[in-house]
Amino acid sequence: MSAPPPEHPAVPETPINYRQLGLFCLLYFASFLATVVCSWLPPVSLYIEAGITILIDGGLLVLVLHTYGAFLKQAWPAFRYHIGRHLALTFAWMIGLKIINAIVTAIVTAVSNTTAIPVVPPTPELLKTAFWLILSSAPGLLIAPFIEEIFFRHLLYYQWRGRKIAPVMFWLSATVFGLWHWSNVAGQWPQLIPYAVIGIFLALIYRHKHNIWYNIMTHFFYNLVAVVLLLILSLILFLR
């Protein structure tokens, strides 16, 4: 019988691939710029916007799997061993992140007198639109953890460990992760702070466990719960 993989596998330090890092930064910036430009254009169908998002995320996912497939495959055995325990742990972390996000959002809202999402009266037509919009956006939300954890946690932070610049990259990755979610806050910029705080805790998970799969699954559960709850809520309100 072969020995089980170590709980905290040693991840050897490797030279920074600046070309690879630059490529991903360029693609992320192009994606960010595309969303900004779309926000300035005349309103289009919400479903078209969701489709564009899925196409962008799908393209980035293909690139991530092509570039980091071997890296993900190498880290998988340690996570797969006792997978039930590890999934339970990441689910618990997800709940902790939800609680932290709620607390930080409440504090930011009270201090800045802002709200992340404008309050709109829930008409039946709006609820129906919201239901199908969430459903059409779900694929993008559920593949985002693979892309974002590789980029924000691995490329922007973890690969710099052991170097003098590592603390700077830790805070930079969290800050950029917060800014990346600007489209979620409807122009209420203080509401980016909760996303940056989530980025901090996800970076701490990677720093503690040394395995990207803990981050991916925690992030995946975080998005999955949000999608499921929003679908259920919009459907219940629509059927009332």
Side-chain angles (χ1 to χ4, degrees):
M1 179 180 294
S2 60
E7 178 71 15
H8 301 281
V11 182
E13 289 188 19
T14 55
I16 303 297
N17 188 329
Y18 291 99
R19 179 179 298 179
Q20 209 169 76
L21 176 63
L23 173 62
F24 274 86
C25 287
L26 181 62
L27 289 172
Y28 255 88
F29 177 75
S31 175
F32 180 83
L33 189 61
T35 58
V36 173
V37 171
C38 287
S39 69
W40 292 341
L41 296 176
V44 297
S45 170
L46 294 176
Y47 306 112
I48 294 178
E49 290 185 12
I52 293 173
T53 300
I54 292 172
L55 286 175
I56 292 175
D57 287 343
L60 288 173
L61 178 63
V62 170
L63 180 62
V64 164
L65 293 178
H66 174 74
T67 309
Y68 290 96
F71 167 72
L72 291 169
K73 186 176 180 180
Q74 180 184 13
W76 175 248
F79 185 83
R80 182 182 61 191
Y81 195 77
H82 294 311
I83 190 169
R85 184 177 68 188
H86 295 158
L87 288 176
L89 179 61
T90 55
F91 192 83
W93 281 339
M94 177 275 295
I95 294 174
L97 283 177
K98 291 286 186 183
I99 294 172
I100 291 170
N101 181 54
I103 294 173
V104 175
T105 299
I107 294 173
V108 170
T109 300
V111 172
S112 63
N113 194 29
T114 60
T115 56
I117 303 175
V119 178
V120 180
T123 64
E125 185 60 33
L126 178 63
L127 292 171
K128 182 179 180 180
T129 301
F131 176 79
W132 290 109
L133 177 60
I134 295 166
L135 191 62
S136 62
S137 301
L141 289 171
L142 298 182
I143 66 177
F146 292 88
I147 305 166
E148 294 181 359
E149 293 309 312
I150 285 290
F151 182 73
F152 293 108
R153 249 61 67 184
H154 186 73
L155 280 175
L156 287 189
Y157 165 58
Y158 190 74
Q159 70 169 347
W160 301 89
R161 71 196 184 284
R163 296 172 170 85
K164 292 182 179 180
I165 199 175
V168 175
M169 299 307 293
F170 176 89
W171 293 107
L172 178 65
S173 67
T175 302
V176 176
F177 182 71
L179 292 173
W180 176 251
H181 292 84
W182 74 276
S183 61
N184 294 12
V185 301
Q188 307 293 321
W189 294 102
Q191 294 293 338
L192 292 174
I193 295 174
Y195 290 100
V197 172
I198 290 175
I200 290 172
F201 279 87
L202 286 170
L204 289 174
I205 289 173
Y206 199 5
R207 181 170 137 182
H208 173 63
K209 301 302 286 186
H210 308 288
N211 190 315
I212 194 66
W213 283 102
Y214 288 93
N215 289 75
I216 291 173
M217 293 312 301
T218 302
H219 198 155
F220 178 82
F221 282 136
Y222 192 96
N223 286 8
L224 178 64
V225 168
V227 169
V228 171
L229 289 178
L230 286 172
L231 282 172
I232 292 174
L233 178 61
S234 61
L235 184 60
I236 289 175
L237 292 175
F238 176 66
L239 294 176
R240 286 180 60 180

